[in-house]
Each structure stands twice: as C-alpha cells, then as structure tokens.
Amino acid sequence: MSVETCPWSGQYHASYTRKDLIHYALAIGFGSNEKDEDGCFTFEEDPQFDAVPTFCFVLPTWANPKPGKNFSHIQPFPTPLMSSIGLIPEHLVKEPVNPSSCFILHTHQSVIWHKKLPLPSTNAGDKTPTIDTLISSRTVAVVPKKIGAFVNSETKVRSINNELLCTLSSTMLVLGIDPRNVQPWLSKRSHVRKQWKNPSTLADFEWTYTTFPNQALLYRLASGDFNKIHVRQPKSVLNKEEQTESINDRPILHGLCTLGIAFRGICRMLVNEKVEFISLEARFTKPVFVGDTLVLRAWHLTENKICFQVTSKGSGAIVVDEGEVIFQEDKRSGILSRM
C-alpha cells in the first residue's frame, strides 16, 4: 500500500434515541443546577427539545459495522471503528502494535458542523424511534516522538440519506510505542492548528464548574468510551507533578467530557443570543481528575468568534487551551439561544 494514502474505514453505523441525547446532556452537566434552563436538552417533551451539538463526539465511539445497534451495550476498547483503522496503520509500523499494551491520551479535537443533528421522531407509533447515522474514518497523520506517537484521524458523520452532518478531527497520543517502530507520515488532509494567542485583556466571560465524583463513570456510559483509564488511574501515564495532583487515585476525566463542559459554558455566555454553531476546536494540555473545579475564561475575538481556555482552579494549570468557537446568527429558530 502506498504511504501517500490511508484508506477510509468501511461504512459504520450509529443509532441514537432521545434517551441517548438526554443521557449525554446529563453526563456533561446539563440539568445539574436549580434552574430549569436546560430542559430543552434534558426533557424529551420540552417544546424546544434539541441535541447538544457536541453529542456528535460520541457517535464514532458507538459506531458498529452492523446497523441497528444503539447505545445499550458495553463497548470494547479500543472501539470497533478505532480497531478497524488501527491505532497506527499497519503499513506505517515495522511490527504490529498491540492495543492492550498501549495507553491512549486525547490531545486535540475539532468539529465542523455542516447540518444540525436530526432529532428522533416523537411518533407514538414508533416503539423506539431512532436516528441512524453513517460513520467513516481514516488516519491522516502519524508523528512519532520519544514518549510515543501522535495519531491524527478524520471522521465523517452522515445521515442515512448520505447528507454530511459533521467532520471531526482527533489527535491521540499513543504511549508505550517505540518511535523507531513507526514511520512518520503526513497527508494533505492532516489537521493544521491555527495560530492562537492568549488575549492579554481580562476575559469577557468567566464560568466555574465543579465536576462531580462520578462524572467519568456517567460519561463513559453516555459516550461508549470504556477506556479503563477513566475508572482506575494508571500511574504510568502521568508525570510526577500530575501524580502529586491526583488525590486518592481519582480517575482521569475524558477529554471530550471536559470539552463538552466547556462548550456548555460557552452556551451560557451566548444565552441571550440566537446562534448556529459552525465549528469548535481545542487542545487538551493537562489531565482533569474527577472532582476538579474548572474555570472557563472566554473572549469575544470578533462578532462570530470566541476563544477560550479552561484551567483547574486547584492547581491553576491550563487543562484546555487554544479553544475556538465559530458561530453565526441562527435565523431559523431560537433553540440554541437556550443553551
């Protein structure tokens, strides 16, 4: 196989119901305050019920080769889709990589929304109304380093009618791999991070959220990411400073859960505006442990662009950096103004 290309995975399927949408919203903290402002994401009969846009993050995790399976089972890890394209494509390693011998850390995530996620039907005649989606993924870059290998992948989520719903880009750090075993590779489709400068002014918006002790356990059920690192913390993936910060072996919170929480904060920043989200991007710089208090700071760069950072209140460390959200006025409805 030519190293100029990495093939797309076969067509995978992910189906979801309104219950799955609600489960995800609860897992990233919606409905955890006394106000009922989150009802459009947590109550299926709310007249403005909608999917949290970042729900798309969990669809590749739940994707299966056969249609009809929804979020009702315990997924293996690595997931079927991840296994199909390989932690690292076979033609880029000298010797096969054993997934069970590697730890995987999420370092970067972006999404471009092309269409709003469709909502499951409320037709009383449907026993379990679902939305079916088609998922495909491929590796677009592999960069070996002393600590392991950074692997960038691109994922397309389409409707059952083949309409493109969103494009995801993820970068994972695969620890425990000898860099001499990996051939560096960069495609034309690999994600290039934009130049990002921390604004020197005070934040336009600041929001604090304390993660709850069982947040990682709830998120793994909602997301399908059953990586054991989010249940029992392996010391070998943390440096000495991070091990000191980790009290009583608290599990590491999923990076996408932290990003979902940050997105929830951005939604609060825009609570009085009617917007349609176009893209979201961020880099994970430090692990977040369950029970940590997170502080979101956000700046309006332009009329339709916000940049943000998330810090751990306890340590002061930046845990999510180079965050950027692009949006536009939503002339169709006021649904997103309630987020």
mmCIF file of all heavy atoms in Angstrom, residues 14 20 23-24 27 55 57-64 70-82 215-228 230 254 256-257:
data_model
loop_
_atom_site.group_PDB
_atom_site.id
_atom_site.type_symbol
_atom_site.label_atom_id
_atom_site.label_comp_id
_atom_site.label_asym_id
_atom_site.label_seq_id
_atom_site.Cartn_x
_atom_site.Cartn_y
_atom_site.Cartn_z
ATOM 1 N N ALA A 14 -24.200 4.142 13.568
ATOM 2 C CA ALA A 14 -24.508 4.522 14.949
ATOM 3 C C ALA A 14 -25.934 5.045 14.978
ATOM 4 O O ALA A 14 -26.290 5.919 14.187
ATOM 5 C CB ALA A 14 -23.539 5.570 15.466
ATOM 6 N N ASP A 20 -30.774 8.744 24.514
ATOM 7 C CA ASP A 20 -29.322 8.865 24.376
ATOM 8 C C ASP A 20 -28.892 10.329 24.382
ATOM 9 O O ASP A 20 -27.859 10.689 24.958
ATOM 10 C CB ASP A 20 -28.858 8.189 23.089
ATOM 11 C CG ASP A 20 -29.204 6.704 23.051
ATOM 12 O OD1 ASP A 20 -29.052 6.048 24.092
ATOM 13 O OD2 ASP A 20 -29.630 6.223 21.986
ATOM 14 N N HIS A 23 -29.127 11.443 27.979
ATOM 15 C CA HIS A 23 -28.057 10.817 28.766
ATOM 16 C C HIS A 23 -26.746 11.580 28.572
ATOM 17 O O HIS A 23 -26.014 11.861 29.529
ATOM 18 C CB HIS A 23 -27.912 9.359 28.344
ATOM 19 C CG HIS A 23 -27.120 8.531 29.296
ATOM 20 N ND1 HIS A 23 -26.939 7.173 29.141
ATOM 21 C CD2 HIS A 23 -26.432 8.853 30.424
ATOM 22 C CE1 HIS A 23 -26.196 6.709 30.130
ATOM 23 N NE2 HIS A 23 -25.871 7.702 30.913
ATOM 24 N N TYR A 24 -26.449 11.946 27.334
ATOM 25 C CA TYR A 24 -25.221 12.693 27.056
ATOM 26 C C TYR A 24 -25.266 14.068 27.718
ATOM 27 O O TYR A 24 -24.293 14.500 28.343
ATOM 28 C CB TYR A 24 -25.020 12.850 25.548
ATOM 29 C CG TYR A 24 -23.883 13.786 25.211
ATOM 30 C CD1 TYR A 24 -22.564 13.350 25.263
ATOM 31 C CD2 TYR A 24 -24.123 15.121 24.874
ATOM 32 C CE1 TYR A 24 -21.511 14.216 24.990
ATOM 33 C CE2 TYR A 24 -23.078 15.985 24.599
ATOM 34 C CZ TYR A 24 -21.779 15.536 24.655
ATOM 35 O OH TYR A 24 -20.747 16.397 24.394
ATOM 36 N N ALA A 27 -24.568 13.841 31.302
ATOM 37 C CA ALA A 27 -23.187 13.433 31.591
ATOM 38 C C ALA A 27 -22.212 14.596 31.522
ATOM 39 O O ALA A 27 -21.144 14.542 32.147
ATOM 40 C CB ALA A 27 -22.747 12.328 30.632
ATOM 41 N N PHE A 55 -22.902 16.358 20.986
ATOM 42 C CA PHE A 55 -23.276 14.941 21.022
ATOM 43 C C PHE A 55 -22.607 14.178 19.878
ATOM 44 O O PHE A 55 -22.354 12.971 19.984
ATOM 45 C CB PHE A 55 -24.800 14.801 20.921
ATOM 46 C CG PHE A 55 -25.285 13.375 20.847
ATOM 47 C CD1 PHE A 55 -25.330 12.578 21.983
ATOM 48 C CD2 PHE A 55 -25.691 12.823 19.637
ATOM 49 C CE1 PHE A 55 -25.772 11.264 21.918
ATOM 50 C CE2 PHE A 55 -26.138 11.510 19.566
ATOM 51 C CZ PHE A 55 -26.179 10.729 20.713
ATOM 52 N N PHE A 57 -19.690 14.039 19.132
ATOM 53 C CA PHE A 57 -18.417 13.454 19.554
ATOM 54 C C PHE A 57 -18.539 11.971 19.891
ATOM 55 O O PHE A 57 -17.566 11.228 19.775
ATOM 56 C CB PHE A 57 -17.878 14.187 20.791
ATOM 57 C CG PHE A 57 -17.370 15.579 20.525
ATOM 58 C CD1 PHE A 57 -17.341 16.519 21.543
ATOM 59 C CD2 PHE A 57 -16.910 15.956 19.277
ATOM 60 C CE1 PHE A 57 -16.865 17.800 21.321
ATOM 61 C CE2 PHE A 57 -16.433 17.243 19.027
ATOM 62 C CZ PHE A 57 -16.416 18.169 20.064
ATOM 63 N N VAL A 58 -19.698 11.528 20.354
ATOM 64 C CA VAL A 58 -19.826 10.149 20.825
ATOM 65 C C VAL A 58 -20.220 9.183 19.707
ATOM 66 O O VAL A 58 -20.131 7.966 19.895
ATOM 67 C CB VAL A 58 -20.833 10.039 21.995
ATOM 68 C CG1 VAL A 58 -20.542 11.076 23.065
ATOM 69 C CG2 VAL A 58 -22.273 10.141 21.525
ATOM 70 N N LEU A 59 -20.652 9.683 18.566
ATOM 71 C CA LEU A 59 -21.124 8.787 17.504
ATOM 72 C C LEU A 59 -20.025 7.869 16.969
ATOM 73 O O LEU A 59 -20.271 6.671 16.787
ATOM 74 C CB LEU A 59 -21.765 9.608 16.377
ATOM 75 C CG LEU A 59 -23.078 10.305 16.774
ATOM 76 C CD1 LEU A 59 -23.546 11.233 15.652
ATOM 77 C CD2 LEU A 59 -24.155 9.280 17.100
ATOM 78 N N PRO A 60 -18.802 8.353 16.717
ATOM 79 C CA PRO A 60 -17.758 7.426 16.266
ATOM 80 C C PRO A 60 -17.433 6.349 17.301
ATOM 81 O O PRO A 60 -17.089 5.214 16.948
ATOM 82 C CB PRO A 60 -16.547 8.336 16.018
ATOM 83 C CG PRO A 60 -17.138 9.685 15.779
ATOM 84 C CD PRO A 60 -18.331 9.749 16.683
ATOM 85 N N THR A 61 -17.548 6.693 18.578
ATOM 86 C CA THR A 61 -17.243 5.725 19.629
ATOM 87 C C THR A 61 -18.255 4.594 19.635
ATOM 88 O O THR A 61 -17.915 3.434 19.888
ATOM 89 C CB THR A 61 -17.233 6.424 21.008
ATOM 90 O OG1 THR A 61 -16.533 7.651 20.904
ATOM 91 C CG2 THR A 61 -16.568 5.550 22.045
ATOM 92 N N TRP A 62 -19.514 4.926 19.347
ATOM 93 C CA TRP A 62 -20.576 3.920 19.354
ATOM 94 C C TRP A 62 -20.727 3.199 18.015
ATOM 95 O O TRP A 62 -21.531 2.265 17.901
ATOM 96 C CB TRP A 62 -21.907 4.574 19.717
ATOM 97 C CG TRP A 62 -22.055 4.872 21.174
ATOM 98 C CD1 TRP A 62 -22.084 6.096 21.763
ATOM 99 C CD2 TRP A 62 -22.206 3.913 22.238
ATOM 100 N NE1 TRP A 62 -22.239 5.978 23.128
ATOM 101 C CE2 TRP A 62 -22.315 4.644 23.439
ATOM 102 C CE3 TRP A 62 -22.255 2.515 22.283
ATOM 103 C CZ2 TRP A 62 -22.475 4.032 24.684
ATOM 104 C CZ3 TRP A 62 -22.408 1.905 23.520
ATOM 105 C CH2 TRP A 62 -22.513 2.656 24.692
ATOM 106 N N ALA A 63 -19.980 3.624 16.995
ATOM 107 C CA ALA A 63 -20.162 3.074 15.653
ATOM 108 C C ALA A 63 -19.848 1.578 15.603
ATOM 109 O O ALA A 63 -18.877 1.110 16.206
ATOM 110 C CB ALA A 63 -19.281 3.828 14.663
ATOM 111 N N ASN A 64 -20.694 0.846 14.872
ATOM 112 C CA ASN A 64 -20.531 -0.597 14.698
ATOM 113 C C ASN A 64 -20.657 -0.959 13.227
ATOM 114 O O ASN A 64 -21.322 -0.250 12.466
ATOM 115 C CB ASN A 64 -21.592 -1.354 15.499
ATOM 116 C CG ASN A 64 -21.119 -1.680 16.908
ATOM 117 O OD1 ASN A 64 -20.448 -2.670 17.132
ATOM 118 N ND2 ASN A 64 -21.460 -0.804 17.852
ATOM 119 N N ASN A 70 -27.716 0.228 19.061
ATOM 120 C CA ASN A 70 -27.686 1.566 19.636
ATOM 121 C C ASN A 70 -26.791 1.580 20.862
ATOM 122 O O ASN A 70 -25.855 0.795 20.970
ATOM 123 C CB ASN A 70 -29.105 2.060 19.946
ATOM 124 C CG ASN A 70 -29.867 1.087 20.835
ATOM 125 O OD1 ASN A 70 -29.272 0.262 21.512
ATOM 126 N ND2 ASN A 70 -31.178 1.198 20.830
ATOM 127 N N PHE A 71 -27.059 2.444 21.817
ATOM 128 C CA PHE A 71 -26.142 2.682 22.929
ATOM 129 C C PHE A 71 -26.423 1.767 24.129
ATOM 130 O O PHE A 71 -26.184 2.149 25.254
ATOM 131 C CB PHE A 71 -26.271 4.130 23.389
ATOM 132 C CG PHE A 71 -25.823 5.159 22.386
ATOM 133 C CD1 PHE A 71 -25.614 4.859 21.063
ATOM 134 C CD2 PHE A 71 -25.608 6.462 22.798
ATOM 135 C CE1 PHE A 71 -25.210 5.809 20.157
ATOM 136 C CE2 PHE A 71 -25.190 7.438 21.896
ATOM 137 C CZ PHE A 71 -24.998 7.111 20.575
ATOM 138 N N SER A 72 -26.906 0.571 23.912
ATOM 139 C CA SER A 72 -27.393 -0.250 25.025
ATOM 140 C C SER A 72 -26.375 -1.262 25.546
ATOM 141 O O SER A 72 -26.667 -1.991 26.482
ATOM 142 C CB SER A 72 -28.663 -0.998 24.596
ATOM 143 O OG SER A 72 -28.384 -1.850 23.488
ATOM 144 N N HIS A 73 -25.190 -1.327 24.945
ATOM 145 C CA HIS A 73 -24.247 -2.377 25.328
ATOM 146 C C HIS A 73 -22.927 -1.766 25.805
ATOM 147 O O HIS A 73 -22.668 -0.580 25.629
ATOM 148 C CB HIS A 73 -23.985 -3.307 24.135
ATOM 149 C CG HIS A 73 -23.490 -2.589 22.915
ATOM 150 N ND1 HIS A 73 -24.292 -1.765 22.155
ATOM 151 C CD2 HIS A 73 -22.257 -2.532 22.356
ATOM 152 C CE1 HIS A 73 -23.584 -1.259 21.161
ATOM 153 N NE2 HIS A 73 -22.344 -1.697 21.262
ATOM 154 N N ILE A 74 -22.096 -2.601 26.419
ATOM 155 C CA ILE A 74 -20.767 -2.177 26.847
ATOM 156 C C ILE A 74 -19.804 -2.376 25.677
ATOM 157 O O ILE A 74 -19.655 -3.482 25.169
ATOM 158 C CB ILE A 74 -20.288 -2.986 28.070
ATOM 159 C CG1 ILE A 74 -21.253 -2.813 29.243
ATOM 160 C CG2 ILE A 74 -18.869 -2.567 28.456
ATOM 161 C CD1 ILE A 74 -21.302 -1.421 29.814
ATOM 162 N N GLN A 75 -19.151 -1.293 25.267
ATOM 163 C CA GLN A 75 -18.248 -1.339 24.133
ATOM 164 C C GLN A 75 -16.880 -1.888 24.542
ATOM 165 O O GLN A 75 -16.419 -1.646 25.661
ATOM 166 C CB GLN A 75 -18.038 0.071 23.582
ATOM 167 C CG GLN A 75 -19.216 0.613 22.800
ATOM 168 C CD GLN A 75 -19.148 0.190 21.352
ATOM 169 O OE1 GLN A 75 -19.573 -0.911 21.000
ATOM 170 N NE2 GLN A 75 -18.635 1.039 20.514
ATOM 171 N N PRO A 76 -16.219 -2.594 23.641
ATOM 172 C CA PRO A 76 -14.809 -2.931 23.906
ATOM 173 C C PRO A 76 -13.962 -1.680 23.718
ATOM 174 O O PRO A 76 -14.406 -0.688 23.134
ATOM 175 C CB PRO A 76 -14.501 -3.977 22.830
ATOM 176 C CG PRO A 76 -15.430 -3.640 21.702
ATOM 177 C CD PRO A 76 -16.699 -3.132 22.363
ATOM 178 N N PHE A 77 -12.767 -1.699 24.248
ATOM 179 C CA PHE A 77 -11.820 -0.618 23.986
ATOM 180 C C PHE A 77 -10.477 -1.217 23.622
ATOM 181 O O PHE A 77 -9.979 -2.075 24.360
ATOM 182 C CB PHE A 77 -11.665 0.314 25.197
ATOM 183 C CG PHE A 77 -10.851 1.538 24.869
ATOM 184 C CD1 PHE A 77 -11.462 2.654 24.337
ATOM 185 C CD2 PHE A 77 -9.473 1.540 25.053
ATOM 186 C CE1 PHE A 77 -10.705 3.775 23.995
ATOM 187 C CE2 PHE A 77 -8.715 2.656 24.708
ATOM 188 C CZ PHE A 77 -9.343 3.769 24.193
ATOM 189 N N PRO A 78 -9.878 -0.823 22.502
ATOM 190 C CA PRO A 78 -10.331 0.173 21.543
ATOM 191 C C PRO A 78 -11.681 -0.201 20.910
ATOM 192 O O PRO A 78 -12.029 -1.375 20.821
ATOM 193 C CB PRO A 78 -9.220 0.199 20.493
ATOM 194 C CG PRO A 78 -8.024 -0.355 21.183
ATOM 195 C CD PRO A 78 -8.554 -1.369 22.132
ATOM 196 N N THR A 79 -12.408 0.796 20.450
ATOM 197 C CA THR A 79 -13.733 0.600 19.879
ATOM 198 C C THR A 79 -13.633 -0.081 18.511
ATOM 199 O O THR A 79 -12.553 -0.099 17.902
ATOM 200 C CB THR A 79 -14.441 1.951 19.718
ATOM 201 O OG1 THR A 79 -13.712 2.750 18.772
ATOM 202 C CG2 THR A 79 -14.522 2.691 21.057
ATOM 203 N N PRO A 80 -14.750 -0.628 18.009
ATOM 204 C CA PRO A 80 -14.710 -1.283 16.700
ATOM 205 C C PRO A 80 -14.170 -0.388 15.582
ATOM 206 O O PRO A 80 -13.377 -0.832 14.749
ATOM 207 C CB PRO A 80 -16.176 -1.655 16.464
ATOM 208 C CG PRO A 80 -16.728 -1.857 17.837
ATOM 209 C CD PRO A 80 -16.048 -0.827 18.685
ATOM 210 N N LEU A 81 -14.584 0.888 15.545
ATOM 211 C CA LEU A 81 -14.114 1.786 14.486
ATOM 212 C C LEU A 81 -12.624 2.063 14.635
ATOM 213 O O LEU A 81 -11.875 2.049 13.657
ATOM 214 C CB LEU A 81 -14.907 3.095 14.519
ATOM 215 C CG LEU A 81 -14.547 4.133 13.451
ATOM 216 C CD1 LEU A 81 -14.705 3.561 12.053
ATOM 217 C CD2 LEU A 81 -15.389 5.389 13.616
ATOM 218 N N MET A 82 -12.176 2.284 15.862
ATOM 219 C CA MET A 82 -10.755 2.527 16.107
ATOM 220 C C MET A 82 -9.929 1.300 15.714
ATOM 221 O O MET A 82 -8.848 1.420 15.123
ATOM 222 C CB MET A 82 -10.525 2.873 17.578
ATOM 223 C CG MET A 82 -9.101 3.289 17.911
ATOM 224 S SD MET A 82 -8.849 3.587 19.689
ATOM 225 C CE MET A 82 -9.933 4.989 19.946
ATOM 226 N N GLN A 215 -18.578 11.667 37.528
ATOM 227 C CA GLN A 215 -18.779 12.208 36.181
ATOM 228 C C GLN A 215 -18.141 11.330 35.104
ATOM 229 O O GLN A 215 -18.727 11.098 34.049
ATOM 230 C CB GLN A 215 -18.230 13.629 36.083
ATOM 231 C CG GLN A 215 -18.642 14.353 34.811
ATOM 232 C CD GLN A 215 -19.147 15.747 35.056
ATOM 233 O OE1 GLN A 215 -18.787 16.383 36.022
ATOM 234 N NE2 GLN A 215 -19.995 16.239 34.162
ATOM 235 N N ALA A 216 -16.950 10.816 35.358
ATOM 236 C CA ALA A 216 -16.304 9.949 34.367
ATOM 237 C C ALA A 216 -17.075 8.651 34.184
ATOM 238 O O ALA A 216 -17.155 8.110 33.075
ATOM 239 C CB ALA A 216 -14.862 9.650 34.789
ATOM 240 N N LEU A 217 -17.647 8.134 35.269
ATOM 241 C CA LEU A 217 -18.431 6.901 35.177
ATOM 242 C C LEU A 217 -19.699 7.122 34.360
ATOM 243 O O LEU A 217 -20.110 6.264 33.568
ATOM 244 C CB LEU A 217 -18.796 6.401 36.582
ATOM 245 C CG LEU A 217 -17.615 6.079 37.502
ATOM 246 C CD1 LEU A 217 -18.123 5.638 38.875
ATOM 247 C CD2 LEU A 217 -16.728 4.996 36.887
ATOM 248 N N LEU A 218 -20.340 8.280 34.537
ATOM 249 C CA LEU A 218 -21.536 8.596 33.762
ATOM 250 C C LEU A 218 -21.188 8.853 32.303
ATOM 251 O O LEU A 218 -21.888 8.396 31.397
ATOM 252 C CB LEU A 218 -22.242 9.820 34.359
ATOM 253 C CG LEU A 218 -22.891 9.623 35.720
ATOM 254 C CD1 LEU A 218 -23.447 10.948 36.237
ATOM 255 C CD2 LEU A 218 -24.009 8.585 35.644
ATOM 256 N N TYR A 219 -20.076 9.573 32.083
ATOM 257 C CA TYR A 219 -19.724 9.918 30.706
ATOM 258 C C TYR A 219 -19.331 8.675 29.903
ATOM 259 O O TYR A 219 -19.625 8.590 28.717
ATOM 260 C CB TYR A 219 -18.595 10.947 30.669
ATOM 261 C CG TYR A 219 -18.366 11.483 29.270
ATOM 262 C CD1 TYR A 219 -19.173 12.487 28.759
ATOM 263 C CD2 TYR A 219 -17.369 10.954 28.452
ATOM 264 C CE1 TYR A 219 -18.994 12.966 27.472
ATOM 265 C CE2 TYR A 219 -17.184 11.422 27.163
ATOM 266 C CZ TYR A 219 -18.003 12.429 26.678
ATOM 267 O OH TYR A 219 -17.829 12.880 25.387
ATOM 268 N N ARG A 220 -18.679 7.712 30.542
ATOM 269 C CA ARG A 220 -18.293 6.509 29.789
ATOM 270 C C ARG A 220 -19.527 5.743 29.327
ATOM 271 O O ARG A 220 -19.528 5.144 28.240
ATOM 272 C CB ARG A 220 -17.361 5.624 30.622
ATOM 273 C CG ARG A 220 -17.995 4.926 31.807
ATOM 274 C CD ARG A 220 -16.944 4.363 32.763
ATOM 275 N NE ARG A 220 -16.175 3.285 32.182
ATOM 276 C CZ ARG A 220 -16.446 1.990 32.345
ATOM 277 N NH1 ARG A 220 -17.492 1.619 33.068
ATOM 278 N NH2 ARG A 220 -15.701 1.064 31.805
ATOM 279 N N LEU A 221 -20.616 5.782 30.108
ATOM 280 C CA LEU A 221 -21.855 5.122 29.695
ATOM 281 C C LEU A 221 -22.539 5.887 28.574
ATOM 282 O O LEU A 221 -23.129 5.301 27.667
ATOM 283 C CB LEU A 221 -22.807 4.984 30.886
ATOM 284 C CG LEU A 221 -22.366 4.046 32.004
ATOM 285 C CD1 LEU A 221 -23.363 4.087 33.156
ATOM 286 C CD2 LEU A 221 -22.227 2.610 31.484
ATOM 287 N N ALA A 222 -22.460 7.225 28.635
ATOM 288 C CA ALA A 222 -23.111 8.048 27.613
ATOM 289 C C ALA A 222 -22.316 8.072 26.311
ATOM 290 O O ALA A 222 -22.896 8.181 25.229
ATOM 291 C CB ALA A 222 -23.292 9.475 28.130
ATOM 292 N N SER A 223 -20.996 7.954 26.419
ATOM 293 C CA SER A 223 -20.143 8.135 25.244
ATOM 294 C C SER A 223 -19.698 6.836 24.598
ATOM 295 O O SER A 223 -19.308 6.835 23.421
ATOM 296 C CB SER A 223 -18.889 8.929 25.636
ATOM 297 O OG SER A 223 -18.056 8.146 26.486
ATOM 298 N N GLY A 224 -19.702 5.738 25.347
ATOM 299 C CA GLY A 224 -19.191 4.480 24.807
ATOM 300 C C GLY A 224 -17.683 4.352 24.909
ATOM 301 O O GLY A 224 -17.107 3.375 24.434
ATOM 302 N N ASP A 225 -17.020 5.325 25.527
ATOM 303 C CA ASP A 225 -15.567 5.249 25.722
ATOM 304 C C ASP A 225 -15.304 4.567 27.060
ATOM 305 O O ASP A 225 -15.295 5.206 28.104
ATOM 306 C CB ASP A 225 -14.961 6.651 25.702
ATOM 307 C CG ASP A 225 -13.439 6.633 25.852
ATOM 308 O OD1 ASP A 225 -12.875 5.554 26.148
ATOM 309 O OD2 ASP A 225 -12.818 7.697 25.681
ATOM 310 N N PHE A 226 -15.061 3.250 27.009
ATOM 311 C CA PHE A 226 -14.896 2.459 28.221
ATOM 312 C C PHE A 226 -13.421 2.209 28.550
ATOM 313 O O PHE A 226 -13.090 1.227 29.212
ATOM 314 C CB PHE A 226 -15.653 1.138 28.084
ATOM 315 C CG PHE A 226 -17.145 1.318 28.078
ATOM 316 C CD1 PHE A 226 -17.855 1.331 26.892
ATOM 317 C CD2 PHE A 226 -17.837 1.501 29.261
ATOM 318 C CE1 PHE A 226 -19.231 1.512 26.881
ATOM 319 C CE2 PHE A 226 -19.209 1.690 29.269
ATOM 320 C CZ PHE A 226 -19.915 1.695 28.074
ATOM 321 N N ASN A 227 -12.553 3.099 28.101
ATOM 322 C CA ASN A 227 -11.140 3.021 28.445
ATOM 323 C C ASN A 227 -11.002 3.000 29.974
ATOM 324 O O ASN A 227 -11.535 3.858 30.675
ATOM 325 C CB ASN A 227 -10.408 4.231 27.861
ATOM 326 C CG ASN A 227 -8.897 4.128 27.990
ATOM 327 O OD1 ASN A 227 -8.379 3.350 28.778
ATOM 328 N ND2 ASN A 227 -8.197 4.932 27.211
ATOM 329 N N LYS A 228 -10.275 2.019 30.497
ATOM 330 C CA LYS A 228 -10.172 1.829 31.948
ATOM 331 C C LYS A 228 -9.465 2.983 32.647
ATOM 332 O O LYS A 228 -9.560 3.116 33.872
ATOM 333 C CB LYS A 228 -9.437 0.518 32.240
ATOM 334 C CG LYS A 228 -10.204 -0.716 31.791
ATOM 335 C CD LYS A 228 -9.410 -1.978 32.042
ATOM 336 C CE LYS A 228 -10.175 -3.203 31.544
ATOM 337 N NZ LYS A 228 -9.388 -4.443 31.738
ATOM 338 N N HIS A 230 -10.359 5.817 32.764
ATOM 339 C CA HIS A 230 -11.384 6.693 33.338
ATOM 340 C C HIS A 230 -12.103 6.040 34.526
ATOM 341 O O HIS A 230 -13.060 6.602 35.052
ATOM 342 C CB HIS A 230 -12.392 7.083 32.260
ATOM 343 C CG HIS A 230 -11.746 7.707 31.062
ATOM 344 N ND1 HIS A 230 -11.033 8.879 31.139
ATOM 345 C CD2 HIS A 230 -11.691 7.305 29.761
ATOM 346 C CE1 HIS A 230 -10.567 9.180 29.933
ATOM 347 N NE2 HIS A 230 -10.945 8.248 29.087
ATOM 348 N N HIS A 254 -12.648 12.105 30.872
ATOM 349 C CA HIS A 254 -12.494 12.098 29.424
ATOM 350 C C HIS A 254 -12.243 13.515 28.907
ATOM 351 O O HIS A 254 -12.917 14.464 29.323
ATOM 352 C CB HIS A 254 -13.758 11.571 28.746
ATOM 353 C CG HIS A 254 -14.184 10.211 29.190
ATOM 354 N ND1 HIS A 254 -14.689 9.953 30.454
ATOM 355 C CD2 HIS A 254 -14.217 9.024 28.518
ATOM 356 C CE1 HIS A 254 -15.005 8.671 30.536
ATOM 357 N NE2 HIS A 254 -14.720 8.095 29.391
ATOM 358 N N LEU A 256 -13.075 14.657 26.062
ATOM 359 C CA LEU A 256 -14.277 15.126 25.381
ATOM 360 C C LEU A 256 -15.371 15.513 26.364
ATOM 361 O O LEU A 256 -16.247 16.321 26.036
ATOM 362 C CB LEU A 256 -14.794 14.057 24.411
ATOM 363 C CG LEU A 256 -13.944 13.872 23.159
ATOM 364 C CD1 LEU A 256 -14.546 12.791 22.265
ATOM 365 C CD2 LEU A 256 -13.799 15.177 22.385
ATOM 366 N N CYS A 257 -15.344 14.954 27.573
ATOM 367 C CA CYS A 257 -16.276 15.384 28.606
ATOM 368 C C CYS A 257 -15.902 16.793 29.060
ATOM 369 O O CYS A 257 -16.767 17.673 29.192
ATOM 370 C CB CYS A 257 -16.272 14.414 29.784
ATOM 371 S SG CYS A 257 -17.451 14.834 31.088
#
